[in-house]
Amino acid sequence: MSNLEDINVGIIRFPGTNCDRDIEYAVNLTGASSKYIYWNQKDLSDMDVVVIPGGFSYGDYLRAGSIASITPIISAIESFAAENKPVLGICNGAQILGEIDLVPGVFIENDNAKFICQSQILEVKTTRTPFTKLYEKNQLVDIPIAHKEGRYYTDNLEELYDNDQVVLTFKGENPNGSLDNITGVCNLEGNVVAMMPHPERALEDLVGSSDGLNFFKGYL
């Protein structure tokens, strides 16, 4: 692959997904190609990148992401990730990646038990992932959040830092009680990223920030 025009991005759709078109817009804005992949499909062989959008898959019944985690597409995502190909889970997508153990830790109910929707300053903690490599380490970015179950928790915080798996942290205010302000993590290899903030809602200055665009431009 020599340029973004050669890249095919698969956008995973579950019943209740509602940020899929925003992701499509983000991908197309970079010049890459996008295709919707549905929950009951099993083949990602034509894809170069996979994005799991936000929303409320299966109404977030039982627990956010739990029903989506047992659908047919999941095995294909796991195999895709095992080939060291880029996988990005945003909000509900991050919850799903936590459910299937492709990233360490979980995203649980906010400590105030309320849905939070607001602009948020974040700090980029690592640039070794395909989605953050166009940023500078410790760069501050303005990317909105919108979740009720986005509080990050892990039993292995020290290991997370030792392995450079913290991707994003809240800068200043911690709106949901996440452990150590963490709001984005990656797997050990760095090709799978789970983040609660919505970079697809920060693509153009017209909407308040374009700081999220590079998340969709770095996977060459």
Side-chain angles (χ1 to χ4, degrees), residues 41-42 44 69-81 100:
Q41 295 180 239
K42 300 179 181 179
L44 292 169
S69 73
I70 58 172
T71 55
I73 192 60
I74 294 300
S75 293
I77 294 172
E78 291 172 331
S79 298
F80 188 89
I100 62 177

Side-chain angles (χ1 to χ4, degrees), residues 104 125-129 137 154 156-167 185-192:
K125 304 302 290 186
T126 184
T127 60
R128 72 182 183 93
T129 81
K137 186 175 175 62
T154 179
N156 301 302
L157 183 61
E158 185 176 347
E159 182 178 306
L160 209 63
Y161 280 106
D162 288 344
N163 295 330
D164 193 24
Q165 290 178 262
V166 178
V167 176
V185 294
C186 65
N187 64 342
L188 192 60
E189 295 76 16
N191 63 302
V192 180

Side-chain angles (χ1 to χ4, degrees), residues 12-17 39 52-75 77-78 89-103 105-109 147-150 194 196:
I12 309 299
R13 271 180 159 176
F14 299 97
T17 297
W39 64 274
I52 311 175
F56 303 91
S57 60
Y58 299 93
D60 279 349
Y61 293 119
L62 302 182
R63 183 176 61 252
S66 62
I67 300 178
S69 73
I70 58 172
T71 55
I73 192 60
I74 294 300
S75 293
I77 294 172
E78 291 172 331
I90 300 169
C91 202
N92 193 229
Q95 295 160 345
I96 293 168
L97 290 176
E99 284 284 329
I100 62 177
D101 295 323
L102 280 187
V103 295
V106 292
F107 295 90
I108 56 179
E109 188 174 83
H147 58 254
K148 184 181 178 183
E149 294 167 293
M196 288 310 297

Side-chain angles (χ1 to χ4, degrees), residues 18-90:
N18 64 17
C19 295
D20 43 345
R21 297 194 181 205
D22 303 83
I23 299 297
E24 179 185 31
Y25 181 80
V27 171
N28 293 349
L29 197 62
T30 71
S33 299
S34 62
K35 180 181 179 180
Y36 291 132
I37 307 292
Y38 291 86
W39 64 274
N40 58 350
Q41 295 180 239
K42 300 179 181 179
D43 185 10
L44 292 169
S45 59
D46 292 336
M47 298 298 107
D48 301 301
V49 182
V50 163
V51 180
I52 311 175
F56 303 91
S57 60
Y58 299 93
D60 279 349
Y61 293 119
L62 302 182
R63 183 176 61 252
S66 62
I67 300 178
S69 73
I70 58 172
T71 55
I73 192 60
I74 294 300
S75 293
I77 294 172
E78 291 172 331
S79 298
F80 188 89
E83 295 175 8
N84 205 37
K85 295 180 179 179
V87 178
L88 175 63
I90 300 169

Side-chain angles (χ1 to χ4, degrees), residues 144-217:
I145 59 172
H147 58 254
K148 184 181 178 183
E149 294 167 293
R151 177 162 57 106
Y152 181 75
Y153 181 78
T154 179
D155 288 326
N156 301 302
L157 183 61
E158 185 176 347
E159 182 178 306
L160 209 63
Y161 280 106
D162 288 344
N163 295 330
D164 193 24
Q165 290 178 262
V166 178
V167 176
L168 294 166
T169 58
F170 295 121
K171 184 68 174 180
E173 176 195 9
N174 181 334
N176 63 14
S178 283
L179 180 66
D180 216 39
N181 299 320
I182 295 171
T183 191
V185 294
C186 65
N187 64 342
L188 192 60
E189 295 76 16
N191 63 302
V192 180
V193 171
M195 59 183 291
M196 288 310 297
H198 287 268
E200 78 281 7
R201 300 183 187 182
L203 301 175
E204 298 168 302
D205 292 335
L206 180 66
V207 296
S209 173
S210 58
D211 290 349
L213 184 60
N214 277 346
F215 277 91
F216 302 98
K217 294 175 68 175

